[in-house]
Amino acid sequence: MSDLSKIPIHTEKHAPEEARTNPLAGVFDELVRFAQSRSMYMLHYCTGCGAIELPPAMTSRFDMERLGIQPMVTPRQADILLVTGYVSVKTLKRIILTYEQMPSPKYVIGICSCTVNGGMYWQSYATAKKLSEYLPVDLYIAGCMPRPEAVIEGMRALMANIQSGETEPWKDYYQRYDYYLGNQQHLFGDNWQTPTDVIGQAQHYGLAGPETEGEHTRILQQYQQPLVAHKLRLK
Amino acid sequence: MRPENYQAQSHPPSNEYELFIGPNHPGIEGNYAFKLKLHGDVVLAGKADGGYLHRGFEKLMEGRLWIQNIALVPRICVPDPVPMEVTYSMAVEDLCGLEVPERAQWLRVLQLELSRIAAHLFTFGGHAATTGMYTTSYWGIADRDLILDLFEALTGGRVYHIFNIPGGTRRDVPPGFLEQVSQTLDYLESRLPDYDNLLFTNQVFITRAKDVGAMTQEQALEWGVTGPNLRATGLAFDVRRDDPYLVYEQLEFDVPTEAAGDAWARAMVRRAELKQSFRILRQVIERLPSIGGPVRAPIPNPLAWNVPAGETYARVESSKGELAYYAVSNGGDKPYRVHVRGPSSMHAVQVLEWLAEGARLEDVAQIMFSLDACPPEVDR
Ligand code: SF4
């Protein structure tokens, strides 16, 4: 196999933003945000029991589609990542892989008390307790489990935030990648790797800050391995 | 012309490949993964990959009081939580020698059957969606919500009720509740012809589901298949009838079976069971007002409840199959060991792997949904 790690990563920065002189720029931004908030595709990762209240919220009775929110099946086309309940360590790896594949701007909603603080599995050996230590969470919908009305109410709150331009935790993931990566490494071990080059992306978007790189990202390089195709492992 | 650095490489034949389905995939029931090895679109081998929902229930239960575990057990199987509470309560009652008042037993049957209807409606929706018929899932889930409304009126919770405790139930039915149940049953019964038109007599569904994921009765027995999946192979075995618990002995109902053992037969058995649940519920509505007495036997202070040492095995028929609890007490206020025998741990692992072999790729999701496997219960 070819050694993909030798392919240079495009790390050139964008030209610094020029001062916007068009008097209509503000209006245009607002229009974009309005459109963004009214057409949201959510990827509902059914991590836990809270997922059972999503089918009612999406189907005939509560009908989320009224708000312009539709389920989407692939991370590459989704805007919102719904984490519906407790996350076991094995699931959390998949959630992070999924999150990093989503295009920005992206939003994370933690449904259920279990994503806030571990909920009733606070003493379980198998679950990660606080989702916001591993991913930037926009909004929590607490409850065990939240009713469909609460889920929809949370969605509306997110829509309002997007429209007013307040919700930008996804930038936090780039700006403080070292912190998030450190927590991930603490849980999964030092050799934890994802195929996404987050630092490269941060530089590309011009979001790299002083906390993007640090002691944890240095460990990342230490364990970096070339990508190789897996052998067929089933009999 | 070939580039200079061309090197011939030997590859496995390109029509043989591996495909990962899940854990985040609409064709998978919940957070569960399945690895397939395919030749074209025929599955050569499948491997179930669970553990995404593991919370260590059996260990958690050892660290909590007997009464606290009531809040924990419904989380084991989310679409059908009532049998979990009832079976656990039955196990504790058996250990303590508690006698459950008759009215509480009828109330438990009422909840068990409502929960079965809700779970079956949910399954129809999922099964239909895997064959591309989304209307059934939209209607089925909206109709299931009516049952959840009933649960809300009775217990205050939509999905998790924490209503059955060792010794009986927490409360009695609220006024007017039985009429509400009766009206909902009327409505659901009037919907059955619609579901027939949409799904069960729909040629698309019949063509897609017949002869898919078929197993024989011998295979089913060997693999530990229970519940509707076993009855779809022609064996009329139902714990409610053959090892009656609560007041099922006094109730009249049939045990529907189908002979074919394929996905279609499993759907038809569930449909027939829906009717039997309506029948049971009507009998409960008729009998319940004439049964007086308390709904809960007096229990000791639940915070300092030392359950006598011993071991027990309690089993019920849940909507997925035979569900059982094996509980051991060493005389303390917490369980020494609780083991949950869930039906899905057989259905979603080895049965699914064996049935997927030789199936076509597009049928794998259907096989999983027709087995009505419940991933949280596999992983626990
Ligand atoms: S908060 Fe409750 S419903 Fe939600 S995942 Fe946790 S236990 Fe399940």
Side-chain angles (χ1 to χ4, degrees), chain A residues 47-53 83-87 111-121 141-146, chain B residues 55 57 71-72 75 78 159-160:
Chain A
T47 55
C49 18
I52 198 93
E53 286 291 34
V83 180
T84 57
Y86 59 89
V87 279
I111 294 187
C112 275
S113 306
C114 282
T115 55
V116 182
N117 57 8
M120 69 184 313
Y121 307 118
I141 304 174
C144 180
M145 54 203 38
Chain B
R55 290 146 281 179
F57 265 114
L72 206 52
R75 271 108 186 144
V78 196
V159 178
Y160 295 147

Side-chain angles (χ1 to χ4, degrees), chain B residues 243-298:
Chain B
D243 182 13
Y245 49 97
L246 301 176
V247 288
Y248 277 108
E249 247 169 336
Q250 305 175 37
L251 292 162
E252 267 179 38
F253 58 95
D254 299 330
V255 179
T257 58
E258 286 281 341
D262 54 12
W264 181 80
R266 293 195 276 272
M268 291 314 276
V269 165
R270 291 205 179 87
R271 186 194 171 284
E273 280 190 9
L274 214 54
K275 283 199 142 174
Q276 297 306 321
S277 290
F278 292 152
R279 205 170 137 195
I280 294 175
L281 281 172
R282 294 224 187 270
Q283 295 172 45
V284 174
I285 294 170
E286 205 181 289
R287 296 278 299 277
L288 192 59
S290 65
I291 294 157
V295 293
R296 185 169 16 144

